[in-house]
Amino acid sequence: MGASKSEFFSEQQNELASLFKAISHPARVAIIEYLLKVDSCICGDIVNELPLAQPTVSQHLKELKNVGIIKGNIEGTAICYCLNPDTMKKLESYFSGISSELKSKCC
Amino acid sequence: MGASKSEFFSEQQNELASLFKAISHPARVAIIEYLLKVDSCICGDIVNELPLAQPTVSQHLKELKNVGIIKGNIEGTAICYCLNPDTMKKLESYFSGISSELKSKCC
DNA sequence: TTTTTATATTGCAATATTACGATAAACAAA
DNA sequence: TTTGTTTATCGTAATATTGCAATATAAAAA
């Protein structure tokens, strides 16, 4: 085997895992932080910012977009990417929910 | 190639990516949610809860423990696992920081 | 239309992850 | 010491990810 047994887990668990997988790579964390820094939305100079070739960056952007972490709007020849606030809030509330339920009754 | 170029990213970006990678699998999301539900700490009946063999669960627990998402205390023959509240708070504040900086000046 | 600019896709080699049977290790109880 | 219980590790097959050169696509500019 080797394939993930995702069919045995809930849809929500799979969706969360997909979100985390999308940001489980340092380049994609760096893309998120760069998009946060340049608060107007930037397209392809992410390629200049990162030590990765253009096809690699394009692939990383695609993965972030597929799970809804970023959005991309076509502006002429360029594409303007930005963070999706809804997804960020969803992730924030997931962890704040865990933190508030954790009554530190630990081993 | 194929290896991640992690040496070109910051230590913090790599650490965050490692945390997200640890929870980027539905079984590991399920383990976190199970540990949250049974608020006293449970050891090996995670194996009974999940549709995975014991060595597979053990491996998942190891990955969660390596990055500090869970803690494990030896209690006789068994090991008592629980969530690490510090790490959960770290993740919560990461996303709340992003959300608060995001002024929705988007494309 | 041709050229330029910006981004996406394809194909593939290198590497990493996933899952589990078999086995080992650690410890308590008999 | 032997047995039973619990968890970890090893080895390995199946599959997924990463990165990039080459190439394709799409839209604006000339």
Side-chain angles (χ1 to χ4, degrees), chain A residues 91-105:
Chain A
L91 290 169
E92 179 191 358
S93 66
Y94 183 68
F95 289 110
S96 67
I98 288 179
S99 282
S100 67
E101 276 192 62
L102 257 182
K103 297 278 191 276
S104 62
K105 287 180 193 165

Side-chain angles (χ1 to χ4, degrees), chain A residues 4-6 8-10 12-14 16-18 20-21 23-27 29-30 32-33 36 39-41 50-52 71-73 75 80-85 88-89 91-92 94-99 101-102 104-107, chain B residues 4-6 8-10 12-14 16-18 20-21 23-27 29-30 32-33 36 39-41 50-52 71-73 75 80-85 88-89 91-92 94-99 101-102 104-107:
Chain A
S4 190
K5 299 179 96 175
S6 53
F8 293 109
F9 299 98
S10 75
Q12 212 213 12
Q13 287 167 340
N14 277 295
L16 278 165
S18 296
F20 296 135
K21 178 177 278 178
I23 49 178
S24 73
H25 190 290
V29 171
I32 289 174
E33 294 180 353
L36 192 67
D39 64 15
S40 69
C41 299
L50 300 186
L52 296 170
K71 295 191 278 188
N73 278 29
E75 286 193 358
C80 171
Y81 283 107
C82 61
L83 291 174
N84 184 346
M88 292 301 142
K89 271 172 214 143
L91 290 169
E92 179 191 358
Y94 183 68
F95 289 110
S96 67
I98 288 179
S99 282
E101 276 192 62
L102 257 182
S104 62
K105 287 180 193 165
C106 199
C107 37
Chain B
S4 191
K5 299 180 95 175
S6 54
F8 293 109
F9 299 98
S10 76
Q12 213 214 10
Q13 287 167 339
N14 277 295
L16 279 166
S18 295
F20 296 134
K21 178 176 279 179
I23 49 178
S24 73
H25 189 290
V29 171
I32 288 175
E33 294 179 354
L36 192 66
D39 64 16
S40 70
C41 299
L50 300 186
L52 295 170
K71 295 192 277 188
N73 279 29
E75 285 192 0
C80 170
Y81 284 107
C82 62
L83 291 173
N84 183 347
M88 292 300 142
K89 272 173 212 142
L91 290 169
E92 179 191 357
Y94 182 68
F95 288 111
S96 67
I98 288 179
S99 283
E101 276 191 62
L102 256 181
S104 63
K105 288 179 190 167
C106 198
C107 39

Side-chain angles (χ1 to χ4, degrees), chain A residues 40-56:
Chain A
S40 69
C41 299
I42 295 300
C43 47
D45 31 25
I46 295 173
V47 174
N48 298 322
E49 191 74 7
L50 300 186
L52 296 170
Q54 180 270 323
T56 308

